[in-house]
Amino acid sequence: MKELSQSDKKIILESIRDIQDFPKAGIVFKDITTMLGDSKAFKTLMDHLADRYSEYELDYIAGIDARGFIFGAVLADRLGIGFVPIRKKGKLPYTTVAQKYSLEYGVDEVEVHIDAFGDRGLNSFANPSRVLLIDDLIATGGTAKASVDLIAQVGAECVECCFIMELKFLNAKEKINTKVYSVLEID
Ligand code: AMP
């Protein structure tokens, strides 16, 4: 597995746009749409992730609603494995399992289809499907933790969480009960 070079990190980092005070005052929103529109940066990122995860013997990539779908679906296709969407409450049409998590004000909920991880998902605790969870950014870690718990609830195993960016000062890694890999660590 190749490490991401400093120059490739710079290509990816510089393609992401900072939006001050969005969606509310005091937040610096990391806008990945500029990276998606930059074919060199997007390819640099996806080449790196495909290289890193080619040796993990994964069965599925699970992406978090909604930006995790973009990276997750491309990566799943590159690796020749299935993609599973973890969605916000009320979006999935079939039978779901749900996990609540706290926000700054109130609670939110993520859901997954009960059979999303195939025959080796539910009721296969001896030989669970190996899943990589992916999202664009980890801040407090609430969404990721709920998603890891959800994957376990349907009988699969989250072997690693991958984020394009990690806001290091929030120390979210400590909350998450599995390995975490962040492409870019933001101080
Ligand atoms: P959290 O549950 O606090 O880790 O928040 C993670 C989710 O919120 C991810 O799906 C991110 O896409 C989004 N998010 C949180 N903070 C930011 C930020 N500063 N810029 C972009 N997205 C963010």
Side-chain angles (χ1 to χ4, degrees), residues 163-181:
F163 304 99
I164 314 310
M165 288 166 282
E166 174 184 343
L167 303 184
K168 273 209 91 177
F169 52 92
L170 292 173
N171 291 322
K173 261 185 192 168
E174 291 163 14
K175 265 193 214 160
I176 296 176
N177 225 348
T178 190
K179 252 175 81 185
V180 172
Y181 171 66

Side-chain angles (χ1 to χ4, degrees), residues 19 22-23 27-32 64-68 88 101-103 135-145 163 165 167 170 172 175-176:
I19 308 287
F22 182 88
I27 306 277
V28 180
F29 191 86
K30 297 286 180 185
D31 177 17
I32 52 126
I64 299 179
D65 201 342
R67 289 179 290 272
K88 296 285 167 63
Y101 60 98
S102 307
L103 299 171
D135 202 3
D136 64 331
L137 184 142
I138 181 165
T140 66
T143 320
K145 185 184 183 310
F163 304 99
M165 288 166 282
L167 303 184
L170 292 173
K175 265 193 214 160
I176 296 176

Side-chain angles (χ1 to χ4, degrees), residues 78-138:
R78 290 265 198 120
L79 298 177
I81 59 176
F83 172 76
V84 171
I86 292 184
R87 297 220 62 181
K88 296 285 167 63
K89 189 180 167 59
K91 301 285 185 187
L92 288 170
Y94 184 59
T95 310
T96 57
V97 173
Q99 186 72 45
K100 287 196 172 68
Y101 60 98
S102 307
L103 299 171
E104 202 177 345
Y105 301 104
V107 288
D108 214 338
E109 208 164 332
V110 281
E111 292 184 331
V112 72
H113 276 149
I114 194 160
D115 60 353
F117 299 106
D119 294 342
R120 287 171 56 215
L122 202 64
N123 300 326
S124 182
F125 291 92
N127 183 24
S129 292
R130 291 171 58 81
V131 178
L132 174 77
L133 179 69
I134 191 162
D135 202 3
D136 64 331
L137 184 142
I138 181 165

